[in-house]
Amino acid sequence: MFIDASYERRREIFKEHELYQKGLMCYVQNDPGVLAEIRNAMQEWGLPKDEFTDSGSWPHQLYIREARRMIGDYVMTEGDVLGDRKVENSVGMGSYTLDSHNIQRYITDEGYVQNECTNLLVAICVSSSHIAFGSTRMEPVFMILGQLAAAAAVLSIEEGVSPQDFPYGKLREVLLRVKQILENKLE
């Protein structure tokens, strides 16, 4: 996995991706097995001549959409995004379709590693499945979660408790007072 790799291995992975992408473009532009209409259309495409001029018009880094996710008390899943699961302690509501890329799936011989900590609010690296994160990762949802994290932090400091111990009912009152939408009224 790229995120856990050494810098040397990351450079190798980067080169593997670059070679794959260049090979794919060469194939669709030139191979007689590709329909002539597609080959001709794809021959119009190439690397930009005016971007990344110091690296052969190739970007300096891979686009890593997601890497590590935390496992919190509540893990958002596809069921949440699709509205199949009732959320008892809502802190905000966003709306975006499922938008997930395929990934390689495997389980290591060691199994899963779970780390826990207290007094932590995370607005971006949310506890969610891969599928649910495709919807959760959108900026409006991140803004909602940022507002939630700020409100929960202030309230927890004022009460002298960790955010995990702050009563949801009090947080809900504050979120509703600032007009945060917490549930789908159309259901």
Side-chain angles (χ1 to χ4, degrees):
M1 177 193 259
F2 185 84
I3 199 71
D4 293 324
S6 67
Y7 289 117
E8 180 180 347
R9 179 64 185 130
R10 287 182 182 190
R11 283 188 290 278
E12 292 170 356
I13 292 169
F14 181 93
K15 284 295 184 190
E16 290 167 9
H17 279 270
E18 180 181 349
L19 181 62
Y20 173 81
Q21 294 295 329
K22 288 178 178 177
L24 178 62
M25 289 302 293
C26 182
Y27 168 76
V28 296
Q29 290 175 339
N30 299 294
D31 193 279
V34 176
L35 292 173
E37 181 181 340
I38 294 173
R39 272 196 330 263
N40 293 337
M42 293 305 295
Q43 287 173 0
E44 299 293 320
W45 292 86
L47 296 173
K49 292 182 172 118
D50 60 342
E51 293 181 40
F52 307 110
T53 56
D54 61 342
S55 60
S57 297
W58 196 255
H60 301 111
Q61 55 185 312
L62 293 176
Y63 169 56
I64 306 295
R65 184 175 186 174
E66 60 182 289
R68 295 184 180 105
R69 288 184 300 280
M70 299 173 67
I71 300 175
D73 291 338
Y74 186 90
V75 176
M76 187 172 168
T77 67
E78 180 177 353
D80 294 299
V81 176
L82 296 176
D84 295 338
R85 189 162 91 164
K86 174 113 173 88
V87 179
E88 298 297 328
N89 299 327
S90 172
V91 295
M93 189 175 134
S95 177
Y96 191 75
T97 61
L98 293 175
D99 179 17
S100 182
H101 294 214
N102 292 329
I103 60 170
Q104 180 179 354
R105 293 171 178 88
Y106 66 95
I107 299 174
T108 65
D109 293 335
E110 299 80 20
Y112 294 103
V113 175
Q114 182 174 343
N115 296 314
E116 296 179 7
C117 68
T118 59
N119 203 24
L120 175 69
L121 294 165
V122 181
I124 303 301
C125 302
V126 298
S127 185
S128 72
S129 70
H130 171 71
I131 293 292
F133 189 73
S135 175
T136 307
R137 70 180 179 83
M138 302 312 292
E139 288 81 359
V141 178
F142 285 163
M143 290 187 294
I144 291 166
L145 293 173
Q147 180 183 15
L148 153 72
V154 169
L155 294 168
S156 297
I157 290 168
E158 290 175 353
E159 294 284 326
V161 299
S162 79
Q164 290 76 21
D165 295 330
F166 191 83
Y168 171 73
K170 289 183 178 180
L171 177 61
R172 180 180 174 85
E173 289 174 17
V174 170
L175 294 173
L176 290 172
R177 192 167 48 247
V178 296
K179 302 198 183 332
Q180 181 64 275
I181 298 172
L182 303 182
E183 52 216 19
N184 188 348
K185 299 290 186 184
L186 301 176
E187 290 181 348

